[in-house]
Amino acid sequence: MSLVDDFRSLHRGRAPGDPLVLPGPWDAVSARVFVEAGFPALATPSAGVAASLGYADGEVPPDEMFAAVARIVRSVSGAVPVSADIEDGYGLPPKELVERLLETGAVGCNLEDSTGGVLKDPHEHAEWLAQVRAAAGDGVFINARVDTFIRGNADPAAAIERARLYVAAGADCVYPIFAPPGALPRLRSDIDGPLNTGAKPDGPPSLRELGELGATRITFGPGLLLSATEELRKIAAGLR
C-alpha cells in the first residue's frame, strides 16, 4: 500500500471519540519528534513553517514553502505520510501545483478558499479544486479548507454549502477552520466525508471531546510551535 493509500485509510472507519490526530511539524527536528512519539501521519502548518523561516503567515515565497516541506518529508524518510499546507495554491496552475507538491514527497495538501483575506467564489473555487483533483488523480489527499468562520460568517449553513461543493469537486476532507465546537455536530451530519477541526494543544475541549462532537481529524495550526517557543523562552530566561 502506498503512503497516500495509508493516509486515506487513516481517515476511514474512525469511532466517535477517536479522531485522527495530526501534529504539525514546522521543521525537520519537530517532524522527527512527532514520528518518534508514534503519530501515524503529519500535517504541516503554513503559519508554523512561515515562522520557522522568518516570515509572517501568508508571506512565504512558494519556492521556500515547497523546499521546507521537502526537508520535513525527507527528515522522516517515508516513515509516515505527510500532508502540506500550501495555502491558496500560490496562483499556480493545477498541474504545476500538483507536480511541485509531489516533488516534495508529500501525499496530501491543505488548500484554502480565500486569498488576501477575501473569500473566493465557492463555485469557481470548486471548479479549481476539480482541476487539482484531475491533475492529481488518486495521488494526493485534498483537504479543502472552508474559511467562512474565519472571515466572520458564523452561520454553519454557509460553511456547509461550500463544503458540499468541494466534496463534489473531489476533496477528500473538508476543514471549516475556526468552526466553534458547538457547530461540529451539524457540520458532521450535513457534510459527507471526513471533517477536520482545529484544536489547542492543551484544550479545552479535549481531543476526545472534539471527536465525539464530529471531528474525524484534528490539526493544530501553529499551536505546537507556539507552545514549543514558550518553553524555549523559559529555558532562555533561565540561562540569563
Side-chain angles (χ1 to χ4, degrees):
M1 186 179 289
S2 68
L3 282 175
V4 68
D5 290 335
D6 287 344
F7 195 48
R8 282 199 175 92
S9 70
L10 288 170
H11 292 76
R12 296 176 183 145
R14 304 202 70 89
D18 181 32
L20 173 61
V21 178
L22 296 175
W26 54 92
D27 61 10
V29 172
S30 58
R32 291 193 189 108
V33 167
F34 296 138
V35 170
E36 289 168 1
F39 289 96
L42 307 174
T44 70
S46 64
V49 173
S52 75
L53 296 175
Y55 292 97
D57 187 22
E59 294 185 3
V60 181
D63 287 351
E64 292 196 44
M65 181 62 77
F66 286 118
V69 172
R71 286 192 295 272
I72 288 169
V73 174
R74 185 174 66 247
S75 74
V76 298
S77 304
V80 300
V82 177
S83 182
D85 185 345
I86 47 175
E87 304 180 276
D88 63 357
Y90 309 114
L92 297 171
K95 184 174 184 294
E96 181 180 352
L97 180 67
V98 169
E99 288 173 348
R100 296 198 66 179
L101 176 69
L102 292 175
E103 285 172 357
T104 69
V107 299
C109 64
N110 190 76
L111 293 167
E112 56 202 51
D113 66 349
S114 61
T115 299
V118 178
L119 285 165
K120 299 179 182 180
D121 177 271
H123 296 278
E124 292 179 1
H125 186 62
E127 174 58 31
W128 180 76
L129 285 174
Q131 294 173 26
V132 175
R133 168 55 68 210
D138 292 331
V140 173
F141 185 101
I142 299 173
N143 187 39
R145 202 178 89 174
V146 180
D147 286 4
T148 51
F149 291 103
I150 201 173
R151 301 304 172 204
N153 187 341
D155 185 357
I160 291 165
E161 178 184 7
R162 286 175 175 262
R164 287 175 168 172
L165 288 170
Y166 304 161
V167 170
D172 296 282
C173 182
V174 292
Y175 178 19
I177 190 171
F178 281 24
L184 292 179
R186 182 179 174 189
L187 295 170
R188 172 67 285 151
S189 67
D190 289 359
I191 299 171
D192 290 333
L195 181 69
N196 189 158
T197 192
K200 298 177 181 178
D202 53 357
S206 70
L207 304 184
R208 175 175 290 277
E209 288 169 337
L210 289 171
E212 291 171 344
L213 288 169
T216 310
R217 80 179 211 177
I218 295 174
T219 52
F220 303 92
L224 297 172
L225 168 63
L226 295 175
S227 294
T229 301
E230 186 58 34
E231 289 302 312
L232 187 58
R233 286 196 180 99
K234 295 176 182 177
I235 293 171
L239 295 175
R240 294 284 294 172

